[in-house]
Amino acid sequence: GNCYFDMGCPGAEDEPPAHWWAGLVSLSRAYEFDPLSPKAGLDETAAKNVLGIHAALWTEFVTGWKSKSGWLELKNEGECAEYKIWPRLCATAETGWTPQEQRDFQSFSERMGGQYARMAEAGRKFRLEPPTAKLEKGRITLVPPWPGAKVRFTTDGSDPLDSPTGRFWDGKTLDARFRSGLAMRTVL
């Protein structure tokens, strides 16, 4: 399931419909795939015959689509396919050409910041990895998906991109009482 990009992404709220039966495929799950790991179940002969890896996108859910809140519109099948593929295909490519012992997801994530800018400049549709939040000692810290990524958030549950209460995270922690209304998005 690591290379099936018709599967949804974790935290995919108000995003295009996706298959669910094989689980979610995050950027990290795509990156962590190792076709030669013991979990793959290949014997020594079969492992020697592995020439590479590929990704798949079944198209039952690839169609023009608009989010309920209006933050995303994919005008046709091509735009929807791009959105489902990128950046997970970047992870799969690095998985294929970099030996497992040399791969580092943190380094990959940091380098993806530049790739997102290139994809945007090329007019591609792609999914930005969402930020996460860490709760510690009554304070919430927002964690951007890569260093320097901009995170827009609200504490009233409204869409951070569309709401007048949306603001950019400045690095300051938030009080834990905002936990239930916290909504976040990564923006370029």
Side-chain angles (χ1 to χ4, degrees), residues 32-130:
E32 291 162 2
F33 178 58
D34 180 5
L36 302 178
S37 78
K39 287 195 280 185
L42 301 176
D43 63 32
E44 192 174 313
T45 303
K48 287 180 181 177
N49 289 321
V50 172
L51 300 176
I53 61 174
H54 74 274
L57 176 68
W58 293 90
T59 58
E60 293 92 328
F61 294 111
V62 175
T63 183
W65 179 87
K66 186 174 182 177
S67 65
K68 293 176 199 159
S69 66
W71 77 274
L72 176 63
E73 181 175 4
L74 303 171
K75 294 179 180 141
N76 54 47
E77 293 85 357
E79 287 187 358
C80 187
E82 285 182 352
Y83 186 84
K84 289 177 177 282
I85 290 170
W86 301 112
R88 296 185 288 189
L89 192 57
C90 295
T92 300
E94 187 158 315
T95 296
W97 72 59
T98 305
Q100 178 69 23
E101 63 276 1
Q102 293 178 9
R103 286 196 277 142
D104 177 58
F105 184 70
Q106 182 64 37
S107 170
F108 172 77
S109 295
E110 291 172 10
R111 289 180 278 117
M112 279 307 299
Q115 294 299 331
Y116 292 126
R118 286 181 192 90
M119 285 187 263
E121 189 173 303
R124 298 286 173 252
K125 296 293 183 182
F126 57 94
R127 181 178 194 269
L128 284 174
E129 286 297 292

